[in-house]
Amino acid sequence: MERLARYVDARRLFLAGAIGLTLWLGATFLWHVTYRQGLTLAVILFLDQDFPALLIGLLLLALAAPFAEGRGFALRAPRARIIVPLILLFALVAWAGHYALFQDYAISRDEEVARFAAAYMREGLFARPIPPEWEPYRRAIMPEFFSPFGAADYWTAAYLPVNSAIQALFWRLGDPNLAGPALFAIGLFALWRVALHLFPERPDAVWVTMLLGLSSTQLFVTAMTPYAMTGHFALNMVWLALVLRGGVVGHLAAGAVAIVAAGLHQWHFPPIFIAPFILWMLLARRWTAAAFHALTLVAIVVVWAKLWPGFLVHMLGPPSDVRPSAGVADKVGSLFQRLGDRWQPLVNLSRFIAWNDIVMVPLAALGIAAMRWREAIRGREIALPLALGCVAGCALALAQGYGWGFRYAHGFIGPFCLLAGLGWVRFRPAGAMRPVLLAIGITAVMGGYLIWRTHAFVEPYAASHRMIDASRADVVLVDPRGGLYVTDLVRGRNGVPGKPMVMNLGMLTLEQVDQLCATYVVELFDRAEFRPLGVPLARWNLGRMDTLRAYMKEADCDKPVLPPLPETFDDAMNAAGGVL
């Protein structure tokens, strides 16, 4: 009976979650909407996606609370013959989701740049040479996120190469969009191995950990995209599995994984994950292991902040167009500047809560509460480094732009699930799975809503891209005024600039527009085309572009991009709404 007294009743857990979520949601709405602390993209997505989903979640939590306590369905032991097919099924659905949900379109510039780099890596190149005739227009064709190294002659992605290299490998194998689902599966498999290590006597806790990971809409939907964050989730979990395996082989392999993970897109993400575990090793007086992984962090900086930029200078030439920003001082300075200018914990963490299992955070809080602090300061509680990493990942709540959930905390979803498993072991009776199963049902309803709103948000941009891509002009000039993030439509086909060559009109001079109109067949894509497709309105203007547009009209160089002609009679009937 003394043991039973320490259990947390699931009904109280659900009610506490609903109350806490109500308070957090109210504070977020007041700060970002009522008092309008800036209507950023995160706030727009919060209002459209997360706020309604969280309202649904807290309502269902409150309604389910009276029924939350109990055993629920009995689950078989989480052995490989059950877990592995389940993981593969989720990965295959994520692969299909790239085409069904995202319509084979990467909406953000981050994703497009990653795919751009994968395209030239697939061809065995370190950068894409700029054709001489397009060099004067190179910045209008590649408006942002380009590397400064050799920028006068090459287009190179600003991000580090590993994520794009993985996509290029899968491209050679058949489809680059398999990269995200494959990494998703690797991460879930490693999470399962870690859970088995931590909870050998509690198969229900292993199930709790895995069900929280499998029900994460953020993990699932992000795996459908070229974002590097799926790689961070996967390699973080692989690193942890290897460290817990121990031995010389385990730690050496973990060091290699850390160096690879740091090259996914920005090198500072793995050190934030690894540093708390180094502290954990030091507290446990595991001096050799701590020293090795500390040296790994040094190697990360040397390889990706020093050697890689030097390699690009050697291969492509010195920086031009913009100053280099890959140095250690630049990275640290940029981080502190963004903390001052773009720190938005309420809205970003609201997105994180909405896109993960509804009880993941409450159970993780139980995992932290269950920590035996005297054991923790002796390095005997793995909850300590897991918790420190989660706090760091959430505290760096910088504005992220696009993202499904809060992607800057993506690499810490695994630790959140493991903390939840620890909380479950300490505060829940073995096998009483009903609250987790109810939570999965609630999360599925929320996830369905989020996926629907994601499709609705992406569809106008995907349709706009298809319309531009179908143009038979030599050049398509995009006038982004009047639309939200229309500049991200400036891209090539499957990561390769070509015909039509798409450019940002706002980054051209009058002389360049004159030369384009005199030399090429030019079409214009502006609000007259993208607004009917449903691209959200953005009220902004740029007077200089009025001059460019006036000149194009006078030169009869402002013909709009038109939808492609129907190829069959059925297509024509569908386009006409079935009217004869």
Side-chain angles (χ1 to χ4, degrees):
M1 292 299 293
E2 291 180 1
R3 180 173 177 80
L4 289 174
R6 74 181 183 92
Y7 290 149
V8 173
D9 191 288
R11 291 166 291 198
R12 293 183 178 180
L13 182 68
F14 273 42
L15 284 176
I19 293 169
L21 187 55
T22 300
L23 295 174
W24 182 276
L25 201 55
T28 304
F29 193 86
L30 285 172
W31 181 256
H32 286 286
V33 181
T34 304
Y35 296 108
R36 301 285 292 215
Q37 296 298 313
L39 196 62
T40 63
L41 177 60
V43 176
I44 293 171
L45 294 176
F46 167 76
L47 292 174
D48 183 69
Q49 300 172 1
D50 315 312
F51 186 72
L54 289 170
L55 285 178
I56 294 169
L58 70 87
L59 176 62
L60 292 178
L61 266 181
L63 291 175
F67 314 100
E69 190 55 72
R71 299 193 65 82
F73 298 107
L75 299 176
R76 294 185 178 182
R79 295 193 175 95
R81 65 174 179 267
I82 296 174
I83 294 295
V84 172
L86 190 61
I87 290 172
L88 292 177
L89 174 63
F90 272 68
L92 286 173
V93 175
W95 177 52
H98 173 79
Y99 298 94
L101 174 59
F102 287 97
Q103 301 159 74
D104 196 19
Y105 181 70
I107 187 170
S108 71
R109 179 68 64 189
D110 305 72
E111 300 165 85
E112 167 58 20
V113 167
R115 184 55 50 85
F116 173 81
Y120 60 69
M121 288 182 186
R122 181 187 61 155
E123 300 172 22
L125 303 173
F126 292 110
R128 184 164 299 284
I130 302 173
E133 65 270 25
W134 299 118
E135 282 192 358
Y137 314 100
R138 61 186 182 275
R139 291 289 67 86
I141 298 169
M142 177 70 75
E144 55 186 343
F145 294 176
F146 59 88
S147 168
F149 302 105
D153 302 301
Y154 297 93
W155 283 311
T156 314
Y159 290 134
L160 295 174
V162 172
N163 179 43
S164 294
I166 294 171
Q167 293 184 49
L169 173 62
F170 278 92
W171 210 336
R172 295 294 294 268
L173 294 174
D175 188 353
N177 299 306
L178 277 168
L183 290 168
F184 176 49
I186 290 169
L188 289 172
F189 182 83
L191 178 64
W192 171 63
R193 296 300 304 173
V194 173
L196 286 175
H197 180 92
L198 296 183
F199 318 122
E201 305 299 326
R202 289 289 299 268
D204 60 320
V206 177
W207 267 119
V208 167
T209 303
M210 292 306 300
L211 290 173
L212 294 181
L214 289 165
S215 62
S216 168
T217 310
Q218 178 170 331
L219 283 179
F220 183 60
V221 172
T222 303
M224 303 175 188
T225 73
Y227 272 125
M229 292 304 168
T230 303
H232 284 297
F233 161 72
L235 296 185
N236 282 356
M237 287 298 94
V238 171
W239 182 91
L240 182 55
L242 290 169
V243 166
L244 293 178
R245 177 189 184 276
V248 174
V249 173
H251 286 289
L252 287 176
V257 167
I259 292 173
V260 172
L264 281 167
H265 83 301
Q266 294 193 57
W267 58 261
H268 67 273
F269 281 95
I272 296 172
F273 176 81
I274 294 170
F277 288 95
I278 295 176
L279 173 63
W280 176 60
M281 295 171 191
L282 290 171
L283 292 173
R285 300 178 182 275
R286 297 165 59 194
W287 310 117
T288 303
F292 172 76
H293 291 290
L295 287 175
T296 300
L297 299 189
V298 174
I300 284 172
V301 175
V302 171
V303 169
W304 296 116
K306 299 297 182 183
L307 296 181
W308 178 252
F311 172 77
L312 292 179
V313 169
H314 174 73
M315 294 297 296
L316 307 178
S320 61
D321 284 358
V322 295
R323 70 180 182 88
S325 58
V328 179
D330 287 322
K331 182 67 67 179
V332 174
S334 173
L335 177 61
F336 279 100
Q337 180 182 2
R338 295 177 69 191
L339 278 172
D341 298 341
R342 304 177 65 187
W343 192 57
Q344 299 177 334
L346 288 174
V347 67
N348 290 322
L349 295 183
S350 294
R351 304 214 71 208
F352 186 70
I353 295 167
W355 284 76
N356 286 285
D357 193 285
I358 194 68
V359 296
M360 184 185 76
V361 173
L363 283 176
L366 288 183
I368 296 173
M371 196 185 309
R372 296 163 296 187
W373 292 100
R374 290 184 178 180
E375 296 296 304
I377 62 176
R378 295 186 178 96
R380 297 174 185 171
E381 279 276 8
I382 197 172
L384 178 63
L386 291 172
L388 290 175
C390 290
V391 169
C394 292
L396 297 175
L398 304 174
Q400 66 175 4
Y402 289 110
W404 316 112
F406 181 48
R407 58 188 169 92
Y408 288 165
H410 201 82
F412 296 95
I413 294 176
F416 265 101
C417 295
L418 293 168
L419 281 173
L422 290 169
W424 184 268
V425 167
R426 304 276 174 86
F427 289 112
R428 293 293 301 158
M433 295 291 291
R434 183 187 293 176
V436 171
L437 298 175
L438 281 175
I440 289 173
I442 295 170
T443 303
V445 175
M446 296 170 62
Y449 175 82
L450 291 169
I451 287 172
W452 168 53
R453 296 313 303 156
T454 297
H455 182 275
F457 187 84
V458 171
E459 202 280 331
Y461 295 97
S464 296
H465 172 68
R466 290 193 297 268
M467 189 171 173
I468 292 171
D469 195 49
S471 170
R472 298 189 179 183
D474 300 313
V475 176
V476 171
L477 301 181
V478 176
D479 182 345
R481 294 176 300 169
L484 185 68
Y485 291 96
V486 177
T487 54
D488 290 344
L489 291 171
V490 178
R491 59 179 66 195
R493 182 184 293 114
N494 293 322
V496 182
K499 186 177 181 180
M501 189 65 79
V502 188
M503 303 184 193
N504 186 335
L505 177 62
M507 301 186 76
L508 296 172
T509 65
L510 186 60
E511 292 75 17
Q512 288 176 321
V513 171
D514 180 59
Q515 185 65 29
L516 287 171
C517 290
T519 310
Y520 301 101
V521 176
V522 176
E523 289 182 346
L524 184 69
F525 187 79
D526 67 1
R527 73 189 76 183
E529 285 72 50
F530 61 69
R531 286 293 296 146
L533 294 175
V535 172
L537 178 67
R539 299 185 182 278
W540 65 283
N541 208 333
L542 188 62
R544 191 178 65 82
M545 292 178 70
D546 291 335
T547 304
L548 295 175
R549 290 293 303 273
Y551 175 81
M552 293 176 68
K553 182 175 181 63
E554 183 179 343
D556 194 25
C557 187
D558 63 344
K559 294 180 175 61
V561 173
L562 298 175
L565 294 174
E567 296 182 0
T568 66
F569 178 76
D570 288 340
D571 291 338
M573 289 292 291
N574 291 333
V579 178
L580 291 175

